[in-house]
């Protein structure tokens, strides 16, 4: 429902379109001396409610792909439609709005802002969206309850454990109720116990029918998703459903 | 969306991470602000003094001396010297609508003016009552200027320049006392208030002795004026007034009104305009020097902001990943830059105002003429506005340009930044 709240109805999502529709997407990093072709023509369709694991060797282009999907970067070629909207050519503020409302990001290194409290970190996307103060308050409390950290809301990120920080980051990713949750090795920096907690949260989200893409090296993690996309050298080499 | 708490937090953090640099930059801004405040205040004081001084001789007046013809006209040869009578002014008054006020002036140099055993050599002027207002002769309290009755009855009364009075009477009261002008007793009816006079055509007013024109004519048997002092109804009408003087006097004395040599005219309106522009030029020049000094401080602020932005690149990337619009990222950075500038500016303005007040006070304690002409430095409203606007612009630009770079890159690149 939140998808239709925008002022510019025409450019907004088409209800029947897949969440992600990529056709021949390429990404070339121009580092001056050399040009690195990180993605060489990706075709990928992800429907609503899908829970996808992206796997592949280091340097194969997984993070690059996730960044493009989350509109953190722009493709060098091909077409990318997010909820039916062609991303190419959108202005920076419109892209910011898409990241704010449709995409929730979880990073390997948490990326919490160190100078503000956990609460304020989770509140940020709601501030950017322009949610009124009282509503923000309710929503943030609810999110902390959801990730089981109601007793740590007023702490600074530096006062939290890795697992706790990642749970705060997940709460922050969910703040604006995004259609799409993207996670780049969310358990990569965690010990196995905290990793399990985080994984459990993702499973819950998957069961709630949220569309999710998770990059992982851990095949045990991949096994808990519904679909595995394998990337090698900038191309999708395998795309299979996980047996239930 | 811009939360002051967050901004102040970021500001404190910058103060911590950029401590030494920030202190130096705040000092640089303070120094630049002090420089511009002082320079502009001096410029303002100088300008006010110039404008007061250039009006000291009288505001909007034109002084007219008779010249000689340079063209033959109506049967008269060229090279004829002209002389005007006081009565010519009646004709001018009757026929020139642009005229507001006028006075004839007769001048006699080297007169013995004495009181008791003290004798001075002074210039005596016979003038009409209108002269007081025209030539800015403001009587000190207890005295008055020459009036119509003095003129009509050819009274032997004198209005003294303030220095003449000081030389004759010292600090004693002069009004009502008698002075001898070429052995003829005159009663002092008033003394001129001290004034700053930057131009003169027959010596400074403070040294003169003014008596009624009628008295002057009777005593010294003069028929012709030295000059005429006139003023137009408005400064804009001055050129018309000058033109009409050529016409009216030309018709009377049969000279060609196109012949510019027949009247020698000192247009003080023109002079005042030039003086005003000169003073303004000096003020702008001083202001520019101050602005350049301030600009150096501004570069310091921009440098800090570059460092801050580099330092926070990753955080900016996180904010953009969470959907911050560019303005949200830019806003706090610009506010921070403004805050640094404002801090330095406040110190500079405080020091500047204190110094200006101290100097202004010091000037009231001395009677040096050089200091007087320099004028009291004045921290006027205009100076305040100029300084604040300049500081605001510098603070804004020093924050805007470095942060614009930060939001121009893709969030993914900002997030990868170490
Ligand atoms: N900003 C960049 N500039 C230049 N090259 C880059 C940049 N980002 C990624 N690359 C290159 O693109 C390729 C893909 O990188 P990417 O980070 O997407 O790999 P990855 O699959 O996420 O690897 P890992 O599992 O190690 O995280 C690599 O060869 C990498 O060196
Ligand atoms: Mg990666």
């Amino acid at each position: 429902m939140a998808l239709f709240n925008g002022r510019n109805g025409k450019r907004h999502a088409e209800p029947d379109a897949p969440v992600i529709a990529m056709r021949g997407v390429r990404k070339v990093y121009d580092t001056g001396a050399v040009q690195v072709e990180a993605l060489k023509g990706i075709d990928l369709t992800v429907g609503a409610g899908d829970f996808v694991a992206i796997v592949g060797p280091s340097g194969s282009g997984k993070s690059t792909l996730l960044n493009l999907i989350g509109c953190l970067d722009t493709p060098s070629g091909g077409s990318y439609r997010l909820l039916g909207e062609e991303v190419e050519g959108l202005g920076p503020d419109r892209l910011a709005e898409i990241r704010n409302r449709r995409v929730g990001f979880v990073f390997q290194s948490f990326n919490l802002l160190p100078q503000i409290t956990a609460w304020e970190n989770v509140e940020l996307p709601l501030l950017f969206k322009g949610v009124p103060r009282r509503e923000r308050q309710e929503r943030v409390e609810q999110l902390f309850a959801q990730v089981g950290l109601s007793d740590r809301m007023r702490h600074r990120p530096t006062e939290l454990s890795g697992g706790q920080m990642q749970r705060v980051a997940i709460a922050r990713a969910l703040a604006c109720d995004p259609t799409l949750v993207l996670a780049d090795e969310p358990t990569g920096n965690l010990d196995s116990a905290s990793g399990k907690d985080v994984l459990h949260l993702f499973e819950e989200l998957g069961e709630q029918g949220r569309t999710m893409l998770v990059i992982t090296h851990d095949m045990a993690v991949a096994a808990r998703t519904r679909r595995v996309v394998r990337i090698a050298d900038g191309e999708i080499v395998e795309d299979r459903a996980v047996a239930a | 969306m811009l939360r002051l708490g967050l901004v102040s937090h970021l500001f404190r953090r910058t103060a911590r991470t950029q401590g030494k640099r920030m202190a130096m930059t705040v000092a640089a801004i303070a120094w630049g602000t002090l420089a511009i405040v002082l320079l502009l205040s001096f410029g303002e004081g100088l300008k006010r003094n110039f404008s007061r001084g250039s009006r000291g001789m009288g505001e909007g007046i034109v002084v007219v001396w008779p010249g000689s013809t340079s063209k033959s006209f109506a049967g008269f040869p060229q090279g004829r010297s002209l002389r005007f009578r006081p009565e010519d002014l009646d004709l001018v008054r009757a026929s020139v609508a642009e005229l507001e006020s006028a006075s004839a002036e007769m001048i006699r140099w080297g007169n013995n003016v004495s009181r008791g055993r003290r004798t001075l050599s002074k210039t005596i002027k016979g003038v009409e009552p209108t002269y007081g207002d025209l030539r800015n002769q403001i009587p000190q309290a207890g005295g008055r200027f020459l009036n119509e009755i003095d003129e009509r009855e050819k009274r032997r009364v004198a209005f003294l320049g303030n220095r003449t009075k000081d030389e004759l009477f010292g600090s004693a009261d002069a009004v009502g006392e008698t002075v001898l002008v070429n052995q003829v007793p005159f009663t002092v009816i008033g003394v001129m208030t001290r004034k700053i006079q930057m131009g003169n055509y027959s010596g400074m007013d403070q040294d003169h002795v003014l008596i009624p024109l009628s008295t002057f004519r009777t005593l010294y048997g003069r028929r012709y004026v030295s000059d005429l002092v006139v003023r137009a109804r408005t400064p804009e009408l001055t050129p018309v007034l000058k033109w009409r003087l050529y016409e009216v006097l030309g018709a009377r004395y049969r000279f060609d009104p196109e012949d510019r040599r027949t009247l020698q005219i000192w247009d003080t309106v023109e002079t005042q305009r030039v003086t005003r522009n000169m003073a303004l030029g000096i003020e702008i020049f001083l202001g520019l020097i101050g602005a350049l000094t301030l600009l150096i401080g501004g570069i310091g602020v921009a440098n800090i902001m570059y460092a801050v932005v580099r330092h926070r690149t990753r955080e900016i990337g996180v904010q953009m990943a969470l959907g911050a619009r560019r303005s949200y990222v830019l806003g706090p950075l610009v506010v921070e830059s403004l805050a640094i500038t404002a801090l330095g500016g406040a110190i500079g303005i405080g020091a500047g105002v204190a110094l200006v007040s101290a100097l202004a006070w010091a000037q009231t304690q001395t009677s040096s003429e050089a200091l007087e002409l320099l004028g009291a430095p004045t921290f006027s409203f205009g100076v305040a506005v100029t300084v604040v606007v300049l500081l605001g612009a510098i603070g804004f630009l020093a924050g805007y340009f470095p942060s614009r770079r930060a939001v121009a890159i893709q969030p993914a690149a900002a997030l990868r930044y170490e």
Side-chain angles (χ1 to χ4, degrees):
Chain A
M1 282 302 106
L3 298 179
F4 299 99
N5 287 345
R7 290 148 290 152
N8 194 348
K10 203 182 77 194
R11 303 192 71 174
H12 271 66
E14 298 159 21
D16 297 330
V19 178
I20 297 166
M22 283 188 157
R23 295 291 166 263
V25 164
R26 298 183 332 113
K27 179 69 185 179
V28 180
Y29 289 110
D30 193 348
T31 55
V34 272
Q35 295 205 335
V36 181
E37 192 169 14
L39 296 177
K40 299 173 177 168
I42 299 284
D43 296 322
L44 179 67
T45 307
V46 176
D50 220 347
F51 186 4
V52 184
I54 299 175
V55 299
S58 181
S60 56
K62 304 183 295 293
S63 296
T64 302
L65 178 61
L66 209 68
N67 286 343
L68 292 185
I69 291 173
C71 297
L72 295 180
D73 212 343
T74 49
S76 312
S79 149
Y80 171 35
R81 298 173 89 80
L82 175 61
L83 291 154
E85 181 178 6
E86 177 60 56
V87 166
E88 160 116 55
L90 294 180
D93 281 343
R94 173 65 186 144
L95 285 173
E97 198 178 337
I98 289 175
R99 290 193 291 267
N100 183 232
R101 299 183 181 198
R102 299 197 187 159
V103 184
F105 246 105
V106 179
F107 303 93
Q108 179 173 359
S109 52
F110 323 129
N111 275 338
L112 297 177
L113 297 189
Q115 75 277 13
I116 54 177
T117 63
W119 170 285
E120 288 168 324
N121 265 282
V122 176
E123 194 186 21
L124 270 181
L126 299 165
L127 269 172
F128 297 152
K129 192 181 172 184
V131 175
R133 186 189 169 83
R134 282 190 57 127
E135 235 174 276
R136 283 202 312 260
Q137 196 133 344
E138 279 170 28
R139 178 76 183 136
V140 174
E141 264 165 33
Q142 180 198 337
L143 286 161
F144 272 100
Q146 192 178 345
V147 299
L149 274 178
S150 295
D151 55 339
R152 291 285 188 277
M153 295 191 296
R154 299 296 169 190
H155 288 244
R156 289 279 165 86
T158 46
E159 299 158 359
L160 299 174
S161 74
Q164 288 171 333
M165 283 198 269
Q166 195 60 302
R167 280 190 279 162
V168 173
I170 292 170
R172 188 178 66 178
L174 296 175
C176 291
D177 196 18
T179 320
L180 187 59
V181 174
L182 305 176
D184 193 342
E185 297 185 47
T187 60
N189 279 6
L190 302 179
D191 60 53
S192 60
S194 326
K196 264 183 193 145
D197 285 353
V198 166
L199 206 57
H200 187 68
L201 266 173
F202 276 102
E203 273 181 319
E204 272 179 24
L205 291 173
E207 278 157 25
Q208 288 162 16
R210 207 177 288 266
T211 315
M212 289 196 297
L213 279 80
V214 181
I215 294 177
T216 183
H217 279 120
D218 186 345
M219 287 322 287
V221 173
R224 308 225 186 165
T225 63
R226 286 187 220 119
R227 175 181 169 191
V228 175
V229 171
R230 181 177 301 277
I231 296 186
D233 204 16
E235 287 171 305
I236 294 179
V237 293
E238 185 188 359
D239 188 346
R240 63 176 170 84
V242 176
Chain B
M1 283 255 274
L2 235 170
R3 291 177 308 165
L4 274 178
L6 181 66
V7 172
S8 88
H9 193 103
L10 292 172
F11 183 72
R12 283 202 301 277
R13 190 164 54 121
T14 307
R16 229 179 303 124
T17 56
Q18 308 282 323
K20 203 168 163 190
R21 205 186 217 165
M22 184 129 136
M24 277 171 62
T25 302
V26 167
I29 289 282
W31 174 248
T33 308
L34 176 64
I36 196 169
V37 164
L38 286 184
L39 288 169
L40 279 179
S41 296
F42 267 105
E44 184 71 16
L46 199 68
K47 191 177 78 179
R48 291 187 178 195
N49 233 9
F50 264 42
S51 109
R52 210 147 41 96
S54 70
R55 287 190 315 248
M57 209 179 76
E59 202 159 354
I61 59 170
V62 174
V63 186
V64 183
W65 291 269
S68 54
T69 59
S70 66
K71 294 176 187 171
S72 53
F73 186 73
F76 290 95
Q78 69 174 68
R80 176 166 52 102
S81 293
L82 297 169
R83 290 199 285 184
F84 302 145
R85 297 164 187 267
E87 292 72 29
D88 295 339
L89 264 188
D90 296 336
L91 178 68
V92 172
R93 284 192 184 99
S95 47
V96 180
E98 288 79 13
L99 184 79
E100 185 216 54
S101 181
S103 168
E105 181 169 0
M106 290 183 176
I107 303 180
R108 193 169 189 269
W109 277 272
N111 306 275
N112 286 330
V113 177
S114 58
R115 172 176 177 264
R117 277 189 287 157
R118 208 168 303 174
T119 300
L120 309 167
S121 177
K122 287 289 176 192
T123 305
I124 306 287
K125 295 176 166 186
V127 298
E128 299 178 53
T130 46
Y131 189 87
D133 177 50
L134 280 168
R135 291 277 281 94
N136 205 11
Q137 312 279 328
I138 301 162
Q140 291 178 10
R144 63 168 177 85
F145 193 68
L146 306 168
N147 65 22
E148 288 296 343
I149 304 168
D150 301 329
E151 179 67 25
R152 210 178 322 122
E153 300 184 354
K154 302 184 176 112
R155 283 186 178 169
R156 296 190 178 175
V157 291
F159 183 84
L160 304 184
N162 52 293
R163 198 150 75 182
T164 304
K165 181 259 165 189
D166 287 345
E167 285 165 355
L168 287 175
F169 292 89
S171 57
D173 214 0
V175 175
E177 301 292 321
T178 301
V179 291
L180 295 179
V181 178
N182 299 324
Q183 310 308 321
V184 179
F186 276 72
T187 305
V188 177
I189 51 149
V191 178
M192 187 183 81
T193 306
R194 210 169 97 97
K195 68 181 180 185
I196 297 174
Q197 180 184 353
M198 288 204 329
N200 77 83
Y201 51 86
S202 54
M204 301 303 275
D205 291 357
Q206 59 185 2
D207 293 318
H208 292 166
V209 175
L210 303 182
I211 63 174
L213 184 67
S214 53
T215 315
F216 190 103
R217 294 173 76 180
T218 313
L219 276 178
Y220 305 118
R222 286 269 191 94
R223 282 197 291 164
Y224 300 107
V225 303
S226 303
D227 60 84
L228 305 172
V229 182
V230 297
R231 178 162 63 203
R233 292 191 185 283
T234 66
E236 295 74 44
L237 286 175
T238 304
V240 186
L241 173 65
K242 286 193 282 186
W243 173 239
R244 292 286 292 138
L245 285 175
Y246 280 105
E247 281 185 344
V248 171
L249 293 171
R252 172 153 211 168
Y253 290 103
R254 305 206 166 261
F255 63 78
D256 182 354
E258 303 281 351
D259 186 353
R260 297 288 119 177
R261 304 281 284 279
T262 51
L263 302 180
Q264 285 174 24
I265 293 185
W266 181 8
D267 181 351
T268 67
V269 178
E270 182 68 16
T271 318
Q272 275 164 30
R273 202 176 53 80
V274 172
T275 311
R276 201 162 41 236
N277 286 346
M278 198 168 78
L280 190 68
I282 292 174
E283 199 181 17
I284 290 173
F285 175 72
L286 291 177
L288 274 181
I289 294 176
L292 282 179
T293 317
L294 192 54
L295 207 63
I296 294 169
I299 291 168
V301 177
N303 253 325
I304 286 192
M305 293 316 293
Y306 268 115
V308 164
V309 166
R310 218 179 308 121
H311 189 73
R312 272 187 223 156
T313 302
R314 218 180 141 86
E315 285 170 32
I316 291 171
V318 172
Q319 291 190 345
M320 290 199 288
L322 297 176
R325 286 162 175 263
R326 285 167 301 172
S327 58
Y328 188 91
V329 176
L330 282 172
L333 288 168
V334 170
V335 169
E336 193 173 328
S337 165
L338 281 170
I340 297 172
T341 314
L343 183 62
I347 296 171
I349 290 176
V353 170
L355 259 173
V356 164
S357 316
L359 278 169
W361 178 81
Q363 283 198 336
T364 61
Q365 302 305 105
T366 63
S367 54
S368 151
E369 265 186 40
L371 266 182
E372 188 177 48
L373 205 67
L374 193 59
T378 312
F379 187 72
S380 69
F381 183 70
V383 171
V385 168
T386 309
V387 171
V388 168
V389 164
L390 220 62
L391 281 170
I394 283 178
F396 177 81
L397 295 176
Y400 180 74
F401 282 102
S403 7
R404 209 182 50 159
R405 242 172 41 146
V407 296
I409 60 171
Q410 292 290 336
L415 281 166
R416 281 173 58 97
Y417 191 88
E418 293 308 324

